[in-house]
Amino acid sequence: MATAASASASASASPAAAFGAKTRRPGPSPSPSPASAFARPSPRASAAGRLHASLHLGGASATGSSIVSNASGIHLAAPVLAPLAVPKMTGAVGAHKNVLLFHCEEMRELAEQVVARNDDIELRSISWRTFADGFPNLFISNAHTIRGRHVAFLASFSSPSVIFEQLSIIYALPKLFISSFTLILPFFPTGTSERMEDEGDVATAFTLARILSNIPISRGGPSSLVIFDIHALQERFYFGDSVLPCFESGIPLLKSRLQELPDSDNVVCNKVREGEQRIVRIKEGDPRGRHVVIVDDLVQSGGTLIECQKVLAEHGAAKVSAYVTHGIFPNKSWEKFQPDNGESPGHGLSHFWITDSCPLTVNAVKDRQPFEILSLAGPIASALQI
């Protein structure tokens, strides 16, 4: 019969013996099972001694197990959680998108320049053919290889006759299970037809905006639409919620070019608009002895620009130049503009800068003074990485 002293001693020596648990004979210790790492607390543990453990997600900085003890002396090794792996999102700051760039035939040269500006942009091709009846017979080369890729199309709506075939491609590309789709339309051609002044007027700017608003969505969501210097900013509200218009400008190209001029500290820019009546006045500033640059978003016949040139020359401007983002020049109206040949601005323009948003115009004037082409290749390459 065990005495109280011996029982107390036994309990002190072994907690398990105090509860009448059997003791194991000496032998090799088996490897603990995964469940044995979490010891069960004693049913006699006080409320104050209950186990407490905290769980850290995605930011655990511990390099070893966290040990927590309760009143019974039982130790719990809290598991170490590795930080959650956060996937890198495409388009994040510092990330580069690999973009497949398709283009219409008119935009081939500009597309090649865009690709040359960024190694993350790859040029792809489309077969532009027609059936005997004149309707388009189109084929997207290697269409199966663009699945899951970022895709862009460089368009030119230079005339109604080429819009339908390009819309057919624009509507087809997002359905090829691509990751995202971007339409680059440097010149929005119906931008000047944005108002209804008389009953019966048709705002074709709204019509084209609605057509582009129905581009099918891709896996990444709504398509993006990049336009340079749209005629009126309120036209952004013509687009529906199924497309994301991004309005860029060619003015930074002009600013960079002006800084290269020898008289860059003597340049004044003046913004003009063409209206129903050709009335040209100098609102502010003194052009005498200055190099004046006339700035506008587009030019059609060019009559207002020529009137501005004459008025500025009469008021003593040393040089007169012009800049437009979109040189339309229907019916070869670009022929009206002559270089000053180093003489007074009454004879002509010192420079006439245009971008390559209208490739047919570029082909007509690229070797003709006073015209100089400022390429949108760089801004387009940057816009594709947004």
Side-chain angles (χ1 to χ4, degrees):
M1 184 174 179
T3 63
S6 63
S8 175
S10 298
S12 174
S14 174
F19 290 98
K22 293 182 179 180
T23 58
R24 296 191 179 190
R25 294 181 180 180
S29 300
S31 300
S33 64
S36 65
F38 298 88
R40 223 174 146 151
S42 168
R44 297 188 179 182
S46 63
R50 288 176 182 168
L51 299 179
H52 298 279
S54 60
L55 185 63
H56 302 277
L57 294 178
S61 58
T63 57
S65 298
S66 175
I67 307 300
V68 181
S69 62
N70 61 6
S72 65
I74 299 176
H75 299 278
L76 173 64
V80 177
L81 298 178
L84 292 178
V86 180
K88 187 175 183 180
M89 299 299 293
T90 301
V93 176
H96 293 278
K97 291 196 302 183
N98 293 314
V99 181
L100 304 180
L101 179 60
F102 293 87
H103 59 88
C104 67
E105 282 297 291
E106 289 182 15
M107 286 295 192
R108 176 183 297 275
E109 184 175 346
L110 178 55
E112 292 173 349
Q113 294 180 32
V114 172
V115 172
R117 298 292 183 98
N118 194 320
D119 293 336
D120 294 318
I121 303 175
E122 178 184 341
L123 197 63
R124 290 297 183 95
S125 62
I126 295 171
S127 178
W128 302 90
R129 299 169 297 184
T130 57
F131 290 107
D133 58 2
F135 277 86
N137 177 14
L138 309 172
F139 182 76
I140 302 172
S141 303
N142 300 315
H144 64 284
T145 64
I146 72 174
R147 292 183 177 181
R149 305 291 297 275
H150 298 288
V151 175
F153 181 76
L154 181 56
S156 173
F157 291 177
S158 58
S159 69
S161 63
V162 300
I163 293 180
F164 177 71
E165 62 181 11
Q166 293 182 64
L167 284 176
S168 300
I169 295 294
I170 292 167
Y171 274 52
L173 285 172
K175 292 186 175 182
L176 294 177
F177 216 63
I178 61 177
S179 180
S180 69
F181 180 68
T182 301
L183 171 61
I184 305 153
L185 183 63
F187 173 51
F188 188 72
T190 58
T192 56
S193 300
E194 84 281 11
R195 295 186 302 272
M196 295 178 59
E197 298 180 350
D198 298 310
E199 187 66 27
D201 284 344
V202 177
T204 54
F206 178 80
T207 306
L208 183 56
R210 300 308 295 176
I211 292 174
L212 297 179
S213 297
N214 285 282
I215 298 174
I217 64 173
S218 64
R219 289 178 59 194
S223 299
S224 299
L225 171 62
V226 179
I227 298 175
F228 284 83
D229 290 313
I230 197 167
H231 185 69
L233 282 178
Q234 63 265 27
E235 293 177 37
R236 69 169 65 233
F237 302 109
Y238 291 176
F239 296 92
D241 295 335
S242 298
V243 68
L244 303 176
C246 176
F247 298 110
E248 300 287 344
S249 177
I251 296 298
L253 297 175
L254 172 64
K255 293 174 65 177
S256 297
R257 182 64 182 92
L258 292 178
Q259 292 173 358
E260 299 173 357
L261 297 179
D263 55 351
S264 60
D265 58 343
N266 193 34
V267 175
V268 177
C269 294
N270 181 36
K271 183 74 167 64
V272 301
R273 290 278 189 188
E274 291 195 20
E276 293 291 336
Q277 297 180 342
R278 190 171 300 156
I279 302 175
V280 178
R281 299 186 183 94
I282 298 177
K283 289 186 177 181
E284 57 183 343
D286 186 358
R288 285 180 295 181
R290 310 298 294 275
H291 182 176
V292 181
V293 182
I294 306 168
V295 181
D296 208 349
D297 60 325
L298 61 86
V299 59
Q300 294 272 4
S301 65
T304 301
L305 287 180
I306 292 177
E307 290 298 319
C308 285
Q309 169 197 337
K310 292 179 179 179
V311 171
L312 291 169
E314 292 171 358
H315 285 76
K319 295 181 181 179
V320 176
S321 295
Y323 166 87
V324 296
T325 301
H326 312 296
I328 315 304
F329 296 118
N331 302 317
K332 298 183 179 181
S333 58
W334 46 265
E335 293 179 342
K336 299 178 181 178
F337 295 92
Q338 302 297 323
D340 61 9
N341 295 320
E343 300 180 15
S344 68
H347 292 81
L349 295 174
S350 179
H351 301 86
F352 197 149
W353 294 289
I354 64 173
T355 74
D356 43 6
S357 65
C358 302
L360 298 182
T361 298
V362 170
N363 292 334
V365 305
K366 61 183 178 181
D367 296 322
R368 180 185 177 92
Q369 294 296 326
F371 293 98
E372 181 180 339
I373 311 301
L374 305 179
S375 180
L376 292 173
I380 290 175
S382 298
L384 289 177
Q385 292 297 320
I386 297 176

